[in-house]
Amino acid sequence: MACSKYANSFHIAIEGTIGAGKSTFLGILKNSLKEVFNEEFLVIPEPIEAWTNCEGENLLEKQYNEPRTFAFPFQVWAASTKLSQLVESVEKLILVERTLAAQLKVFIPSLHQCLKATETRILESLLSSSLKNPRVMPDVIIYLKLSYVMAKARVWGRKRPEEGGLRTDTMMVLDALYDKWLLNEGNIPVIIIEYTHFLTETQLSTLAKLLYEISVGKKIASPYYL
């Protein structure tokens, strides 16, 4: 299949709760997309290294362990680093792990008991403004939907030190907020994958072809269940 001749970029975002399998899925999908688009996608993972080493401080771990103190500085830093990744990229084909919209729709609301009202307003203003940048908003979102129980088991299994303070009730809240957002997203097409196991080669090929069709203007019913 020939590559689409889009005038602007085509930006795919992978969404899902903590432990859903986004990082692994990025690499798997990239290979399937190349076969269909005949071009490489730039993969933009979350900048975990920057979050765990901000001038020697692990802000991600500190947010989990002391959210009332570190939720605000971490969320500002997370937004800044992710925004830089997107606006500094020059490639037309982008495959990104999690969007700034997730921060606005999921993670900021999940921290409402830890953030002051002023801090929430600052973050909402920062993120809303950033999302007006055409390089930031995706053209389509793939939602790797996974129950908080399975996601928590995966988090435990990978044993990242900074996730030791991640609570089960936090996972439950994130699960609910993700569903509230992406099952009702009206502006961006959403493809939902029940991600309890890896996709087959046939499923990956079907997904890549669907994404190609979206890139050349096909409209899909959203949410679209693969």
Side-chain angles (χ1 to χ4, degrees):
M1 187 178 292
C3 178
S4 57
K5 301 302 181 184
Y6 29 76
N8 299 309
S9 65
F10 186 57
H11 178 169
I12 303 168
I14 309 300
E15 285 290 355
T17 191
I18 299 167
K22 298 179 298 299
S23 301
T24 303
F25 189 76
L26 282 173
I28 295 171
L29 181 59
K30 177 185 178 181
N31 295 330
S32 296
L33 291 172
K34 184 178 180 181
E35 293 179 6
V36 173
F37 282 77
N38 289 333
E39 286 189 47
E40 289 275 2
F41 272 72
L42 171 68
V43 173
I44 303 180
E46 286 193 301
I48 299 295
E49 185 174 338
W51 298 350
T52 56
N53 185 13
C54 176
E55 297 186 356
E57 285 195 275
N58 189 333
L59 286 183
L60 179 59
E61 182 177 29
K62 288 185 173 183
Q63 180 195 235
Y64 288 145
N65 292 332
E66 302 175 66
R68 292 188 182 277
T69 302
F70 288 99
F72 181 68
F74 172 74
Q75 291 300 322
V76 171
W77 183 234
S80 174
T81 51
K82 285 190 68 64
L83 182 61
S84 295
Q85 285 181 310
L86 290 167
V87 299
E88 291 172 8
S89 64
V90 296
E91 289 80 358
K92 284 191 173 184
L93 300 177
I94 301 173
L95 182 58
V96 65
E97 180 181 9
R98 199 172 272 143
T99 64
L100 286 176
Q103 216 174 332
L104 179 64
K105 300 287 188 176
V106 176
F107 290 92
I108 301 306
S110 77
L111 293 164
H112 72 279
Q113 293 182 332
C114 304
L115 293 167
K116 298 175 183 177
T118 303
E119 293 173 336
T120 298
R121 286 196 296 272
I122 290 171
L123 288 166
E124 288 175 344
S125 176
L126 169 65
L127 291 164
S128 297
S129 177
S130 298
L131 287 167
K132 294 176 182 178
N133 187 321
R135 291 292 290 175
V136 173
M137 284 298 287
D139 298 294
V140 59
I141 293 173
I142 298 173
Y143 176 23
L144 302 182
K145 185 167 167 50
L146 190 70
S147 72
Y148 74 87
V149 176
M150 291 191 68
K152 181 66 174 178
R154 290 183 181 179
V155 168
W156 281 343
R158 66 192 185 189
K159 294 182 171 63
R160 291 180 181 172
E162 59 273 3
E163 292 176 341
L166 189 57
R167 296 158 48 109
T168 299
D169 57 347
T170 300
M171 299 291 289
M172 293 174 65
V173 170
L174 294 176
D175 191 16
L177 288 169
Y178 255 114
D179 277 355
K180 180 181 178 181
W181 169 35
L182 291 178
L183 298 185
N184 300 285
E185 170 59 51
N187 299 315
I188 302 170
V190 176
I191 299 170
I192 298 178
I193 299 173
E194 298 284 350
Y195 203 52
T196 55
H197 56 273
F198 291 135
L199 299 187
T200 65
E201 290 295 328
T202 299
Q203 290 172 317
L204 283 167
S205 177
T206 298
L207 175 60
K209 290 174 182 176
L210 175 61
L211 291 167
Y212 174 86
E213 291 171 350
I214 293 171
S215 78
V216 295
K218 178 179 179 177
K219 304 296 183 183
I220 64 168
S222 183
Y224 180 100
Y225 288 82
L226 189 68

